[in-house]
Amino acid sequence: EAGVTQFPSHSVIEKGQTVTLRCDPISGHDNLYWYRRVMGKEIKFLLHFVKESKQDESGMPNNRFLAERTGGTYSTLKVQPAELEDSGVYFCASSGEASGRLLTGELFFGEGSRLTVL
Amino acid sequence: AQSVTQLGSHVSVSEGALVLLRCNYSSSVPPYLFWYVQYPNQGLQLLLKYTSAATLVKGINGFEAEFKKSETSFHLTKPSAHMSDAAEYFCALSGSARQLTFGSGTQLTVLP
């Protein structure tokens, strides 16, 4: 069974340009998460999809970030226009856990997309 | 509000020595707690989790962690380090929302 895949693995762009990151979750997983790790700091939550709906987007830094999940399958995270502080590793994770108050099960993570903004 | 603090961003141990990685948490509700590991060029992988059953939790690769409510801690241990344990380790909690709050990570180096 394929795991969570992310593309590209590394992207280098200039300030002001646009980048789109893609995540393919494990097949059948309704929950999809985006996280970001900046400069060796903690991994921070960005948002959570349940199927195609945004369940929680409280971690999105600002309106330069746009996440979509077409048809409840793969997801994209677009940064437009990119700023220097957007550099970091963007992780996608998926889970097949049913809804509930707490996350009790395992999140399956992709290898991450490293974004460098010059 | 909830938070996770990992004491020591870098820990070095000799092969065969005890591994102890520290994690303290703050949560307004009883949390579920997790340890994840990231090997170079790989995604995060679940080591073990505490979800209010037994306070001593055993995970993969010989790791275990003990939930101590009075100390708000969830330290990760392994009796004997192996070279293959070299990786970055993350403590995380699930509290009032369906997402994980992570600590800043601890890079474990195993010396021959």
Side-chain angles (χ1 to χ4, degrees), chain B residues 2-6 23-33 50 67-74 91-93:
Chain B
Q2 55 197 41
S3 64
V4 176
T5 302
Q6 292 184 239
C23 172
N24 289 87
Y25 69 89
S26 174
S27 178
S28 57
V29 300
Y32 293 162
L33 293 158
Y50 164 77
F67 172 71
K68 292 186 176 181
K69 182 179 179 180
S70 61
E71 298 178 8
T72 60
S73 68
F74 191 57
C91 183
L93 74 81

Side-chain angles (χ1 to χ4, degrees), chain B residues 37-48:
Chain B
V37 61
Q38 186 181 24
Y39 299 103
N41 301 315
Q42 295 186 25
L44 279 74
Q45 176 184 357
L46 182 67
L47 266 182
L48 49 80

Side-chain angles (χ1 to χ4, degrees), chain A residues 32-65:
Chain A
L32 187 149
Y33 299 80
W34 284 98
Y35 286 85
R36 178 175 73 171
R37 189 182 193 197
V38 174
M39 288 292 287
K41 295 186 178 179
E42 67 270 23
I43 300 170
K44 285 197 171 181
F45 168 79
L46 295 179
L47 87 160
H48 170 207
F49 284 100
V50 177
K51 297 184 180 180
E52 67 276 9
S53 299
K54 292 177 184 176
Q55 183 78 10
D56 181 355
E57 53 183 330
S58 60
M60 294 288 265
N62 50 61
N63 60 10
R64 296 186 292 104
F65 289 75

